[in-house]
Amino acid sequence: MLRPAIFLSLIAAVLAVPVAAQEARPPGPVSTLSLALRLYAQAAQEGDALGMAVAARLAEGIRLREGAGALWQKDSGAFSPPADLPADLPGSAPVSPDLLFSGAAISGALLMAEEDEALSDLLSELPPPALRGSVSLARGTLPPKRRDGWSIPFAGQSPAGIGVFAGDSGEDSGEAADAAAPSQLWWMVEDLSGGVMCPLRPVSDVICSFTPAENVFYRVVIANPSAVAGDYMLVVN
Amino acid sequence: MMRKTSYRSKPRSVALAGKAALMMAVWPGMLAIPGAAQAQQDLQGGAPRNEAAAGDAVARLALSQQLFVQGQAYGDALTVLAAARLAASVRVDQGQALTPRSEAKISATPSAPADEETEALTTGPDSLADPGMPVLAAPDPMPPPLSPAEAGQFPDAGAMFARALALAGQDDYLGELIVAAQAQAQAQAQAGAAAAQGTVAAYGAHLAADQVDHWQLAGKSGEGVAVLGHGGAALEIAVRDASGIDLCRETGAGIFLYCAIPAAAAAPLVVSITSQDTSSDSGPDTSSGLGGADYTLITGAGPQ
């Protein structure tokens, strides 16, 4: 019964979709990863198997280049939180990209879909997702009141995407694993003369994107104002 | 249809063993997500989960629009379907309460602010492009030729479902899933369930080349504000609170920004959107309104 309706809807859809929408440019891989994290957090919260599966597939389409780029330079030091650092900020996502990349996310989606046989069938037999670009990443663990600075080269006239997400180093970071209050890392991006490209923000699913005018280094500062150690994952396209 | 047959032919014992393995694999990660464990319990108990989601409707709608762009770009029906379901859960009102203050980005001649309001804007939110340069007031902004929704740049749930169906092509199985999801969304909307997930106000606007739009918002904590750029034009977007603190800033083409508002932010907030017309490098824009960018500002639907 549904097939005639689907066919008619299909015709209507093809006629209705405007050209402008069809010409949308694909977001960069860091943006895609951020999108996947937000979607997964929202979908898991609501028990939405389809949303969780879509999020996992978005992440699966991103190729990871583990280890910092050859030209990346790292320095570390003490961190003194600015006085105006907000004590709380809504909207940060607790999901780590490691969950999405691990395969557990799609397994979680299948588990959620178990009550819906049609959806379960569909999700279990989907083809591999489309490739959505590559990112370089570096992992780190920040003890309390410390900061890492990463100087990273970016190509001029090419969109730059930078994300710092909650990490899972795979190592026991001491108190962080067991603490009742998780660490809250913050990060920002500045040019080498100290000009702020993206202001200080909590590690969540929000990325920093811009297009450099020329080939230049930018500095990503990741800081831990909290009392417990925290892991991070720095991702750059 | 073959895949359904083959999947259903699995013995129940195999399915149960698979379920146990899945739970072992997934549980640690799921526990990290607030609400996920409760959602899982609801599913195990067979009870439908029908409460309003945490998180605000602005974030939900912004996520939907960004998912749609992603799905469109890769011809991915499933992603577009996910976008459509999210969009269907939020009621969108065409914003009427706010209008932007539009100014020219002229940096040739220093000039004193015309009034207190202008001073607040020039010393606060508009210092993005060049903090040392003033912003001069411009004549009335040009009205947008088409709203983003009219131009198809801010599709509603119906358009998204239709697009998902088109992308599903000959996959009848996926097509049936999309039609069923759309029917469910329509039924929920008729029952008023969409409002339970929140209502937002969307303001479509056209920003002429070398102009700055300032939107002043009440800025309730936890509500968030989103800006979606359309058509690939380059924009600078900044959100600052009344004390001049940068809450969010984004620069780029085809831009998307969602900004959560911290409790400590001082109201009102100002969202500044600047067109970055690359042709301006070769001289002043003389195109009389050509160029620039369309965008949509999304806020909570409460009084601003």
Side-chain angles (χ1 to χ4, degrees):
Chain A
M1 289 294 289
L2 281 173
R3 287 190 182 183
I6 291 174
F7 180 74
L8 290 173
S9 300
L10 192 63
I11 297 295
V14 170
L15 294 175
V17 172
V19 173
Q22 292 180 349
E23 291 175 348
R25 295 192 304 178
V30 177
S31 177
T32 299
L33 181 55
S34 163
L35 181 65
L37 289 170
R38 286 166 40 225
L39 178 61
Y40 191 84
Q42 177 119 31
Q45 201 168 33
E46 298 172 10
D48 173 11
L50 177 66
M52 292 168 68
V54 168
R57 287 171 57 79
L58 288 175
E60 282 177 19
I62 299 169
R63 289 290 165 265
L64 299 178
R65 292 191 294 263
E66 290 273 357
L71 295 175
W72 294 22
Q73 297 170 356
K74 179 187 175 187
D75 63 89
S76 299
F79 176 69
S80 300
D84 57 0
L85 192 66
D88 69 307
L89 198 82
S92 37
V95 180
S96 166
D98 288 312
L99 175 64
L100 293 189
F101 292 131
S102 69
I106 193 70
S107 299
L110 288 170
L111 184 61
M112 284 287 186
E114 198 179 44
E115 301 295 321
D116 183 339
E117 191 175 6
L119 180 60
S120 184
D121 285 355
L122 181 73
L123 296 183
S124 64
E125 299 187 13
L126 286 172
L131 293 179
R132 289 177 161 88
S134 301
V135 296
S136 296
L137 73 87
R139 297 174 187 272
T141 299
L142 271 176
K145 312 302 180 192
R146 300 288 295 177
R147 58 128 185 96
D148 284 348
W150 291 89
S151 295
I152 302 171
F154 289 89
Q157 302 300 321
S158 295
I162 306 169
V164 180
F165 305 115
D168 179 6
S169 64
E171 301 169 3
D172 184 4
S173 56
E175 301 166 79
D178 302 320
S183 66
Q184 175 66 76
L185 306 185
W186 290 70
W187 66 289
M188 63 180 294
V189 180
E190 59 188 15
D191 60 27
L192 294 188
S193 60
V196 175
M197 301 301 296
C198 292
L200 199 61
R201 58 189 63 191
V203 165
S204 65
D205 47 30
V206 177
I207 69 167
C208 172
S209 61
F210 54 89
T211 301
E214 55 190 14
N215 296 347
V216 67
F217 276 83
Y218 287 97
R219 186 174 151 84
V220 181
V221 178
I222 306 159
N224 185 0
S226 68
V228 294
D231 297 323
Y232 68 83
M233 179 189 291
L234 168 61
V235 179
V236 173
N237 66 354
Chain B
M1 290 303 153
M2 279 300 291
R3 59 182 167 206
K4 288 184 75 173
T5 304
S6 62
Y7 185 79
R8 287 171 179 165
S9 65
K10 288 177 186 172
R12 185 64 180 162
S13 58
V14 173
L16 289 174
K19 176 182 172 182
L22 282 174
M23 290 193 69
M24 292 296 292
V26 171
W27 198 248
M30 296 291 292
L31 288 179
I33 303 167
Q38 181 60 47
Q40 180 59 23
Q41 283 178 359
D42 291 346
L43 286 174
Q44 295 301 311
R49 185 171 173 82
N50 196 29
E51 66 188 63
D56 67 82
V58 175
R60 177 178 283 267
L61 187 66
L63 177 60
S64 159
Q65 293 288 329
Q66 202 179 15
L67 269 176
F68 181 75
V69 170
Q70 176 79 230
Q72 277 275 89
Y74 288 94
D76 182 351
L78 213 56
T79 301
V80 174
L81 173 59
R85 293 171 76 229
L86 278 172
S89 69
V90 178
R91 192 171 71 198
V92 181
D93 293 341
Q94 288 305 311
Q96 303 285 336
L98 302 176
T99 52
R101 178 186 176 88
S102 190
E103 298 176 327
K105 260 189 13 176
I106 300 173
S107 56
T109 309
S111 172
D115 52 37
E116 188 176 338
E117 186 179 3
T118 304
E119 181 177 16
L121 292 173
T122 53
T123 56
D126 189 54
S127 56
L128 265 182
D130 188 345
M133 293 298 177
V135 174
L136 304 182
D140 292 338
M142 291 185 63
L146 278 179
S147 75
E150 290 168 326
Q153 295 165 328
F154 189 77
D156 61 11
M160 290 184 184
F161 277 120
R163 187 61 188 155
L165 206 51
L167 290 173
Q170 299 301 311
D171 190 334
D172 289 348
Y173 199 40
L174 182 53
E176 289 176 12
L177 192 70
I178 293 166
V179 169
Q182 183 170 19
Q184 185 180 20
Q186 286 171 343
Q188 287 175 342
Q190 286 168 358
Q197 302 286 359
T199 302
V200 303
Y203 299 85
H206 176 78
L207 183 65
D210 290 328
Q211 293 271 320
V212 185
D213 276 358
H214 301 293
W215 299 79
Q216 184 167 301
L217 313 176
K220 302 184 197 78
S221 173
E223 189 167 83
V225 57
V227 180
L228 290 86
H230 305 302
L235 296 173
E236 282 184 6
I237 304 170
V239 182
R240 287 185 177 175
D241 74 0
S243 57
I245 295 176
D246 260 341
L247 301 178
C248 300
R249 188 191 296 183
E250 204 75 62
T251 306
I255 203 165
F256 168 90
L257 176 138
Y258 173 74
C259 188
I261 301 171
L269 308 182
V270 176
V271 182
S272 298
I273 301 162
T274 309
S275 174
Q276 297 287 292
D277 185 1
T278 53
S279 66
S280 62
D281 291 342
S282 57
D285 177 35
T286 56
S287 56
S288 302
L290 295 177
D294 293 324
Y295 66 89
T296 301
L297 176 80
I298 307 170
T299 71
Q304 295 289 339

